[in-house]
Amino acid sequence: MEENTTRPPAETEMIVNSPEQMRELGRRLAKLLRAGDLVMLSGELGAGKTTLTRGLGEGLGVRGAVTSPTFVIARVHPSLGGGPPLVHVDAYRLSGGLDEMEDLDLDVSLPDSVVVVEWGEGKVEELTEERLQVRIHRAVGDTTDEVRQVTVTGLGERWASADLSVLAA
């Protein structure tokens, strides 16, 4: 009988109480990332995906204001230091998945960048088996509640031994 050596994915959950805490989570997450990493963000409209990415950009030290790329689909933020550029993609309007993403003709090599994809589920998983999945859940309906439940799951060998609990610090 063959032993199953597949490890469960690394995972951590946390509560985020404000947009500033979401940005800080992005800054902490940036410390774990390196060129070639894919981060997929999911959550309802207004959940904080772009706010998290703004913190990521600050943590990576990239140029340019990180804003939602909804209408341009993707933005490339070059590093101000020696780190990797941040490629921020909004896949909400992409229906063709990976082929359509490749058609964006990004002027960077994806293996040399940190790629963050909002609304990427079911569309960009083929890029790599090794990725971080960040799910942001917020109360829906008529509420001004800023509380979010964030689940970060590391998939693949790259994240198998990662200590994601540092994100909840």
Side-chain angles (χ1 to χ4, degrees):
M1 186 159 103
E2 196 172 301
E3 189 178 326
N4 183 355
T5 58
T6 304
R7 294 187 224 172
E11 186 169 277
T12 190
E13 291 187 11
M14 67 215 77
I15 299 295
V16 175
N17 294 303
S18 68
E20 181 47 46
Q21 285 186 5
M22 189 67 77
R23 278 176 82 161
E24 177 56 33
L25 173 58
R27 288 189 287 268
R28 286 196 305 269
L29 180 56
K31 294 176 184 172
L32 299 178
L33 297 176
R34 63 185 186 216
D37 283 342
L38 172 65
V39 180
M40 292 177 47
L41 305 179
S42 61
E44 299 87 1
L45 284 170
K49 296 178 295 293
T50 300
T51 301
L52 178 92
T53 305
R54 192 168 294 128
L56 247 173
E58 291 167 5
L60 289 172
V62 299
R63 186 177 71 218
V66 174
T67 58
S68 177
T70 299
F71 297 105
V72 296
I73 309 294
R75 283 198 173 90
V76 177
H77 298 275
S79 175
L80 292 171
L86 171 66
V87 178
H88 184 197
V89 179
D90 185 330
Y92 186 74
R93 295 186 302 141
L94 295 181
S95 57
L98 192 56
D99 290 340
E100 197 169 352
M101 183 147 159
E102 288 174 352
D103 289 344
L104 293 176
D105 196 25
L106 298 172
D107 62 347
V108 296
S109 170
L110 296 181
D112 297 331
S113 308
V114 170
V115 179
V116 176
V117 182
E118 297 185 28
W119 305 100
E121 285 184 317
K123 298 176 183 174
V124 298
E125 287 89 341
E126 294 173 40
L127 282 174
T128 178
E129 292 179 8
E130 299 184 335
R131 62 187 176 273
L132 275 184
Q133 175 69 52
V134 180
R135 289 187 173 86
I136 305 170
H137 179 74
R138 71 174 185 97
V140 293
D142 187 20
T143 179
T144 57
D145 191 354
E146 296 288 349
V147 175
R148 307 290 192 257
Q149 179 176 344
V150 180
T151 304
V152 180
T153 307
L155 302 169
E157 196 61 36
R158 156 84 171 96
W159 299 103
S161 60
D163 182 9
L164 298 178
S165 69
V166 299
L167 297 174

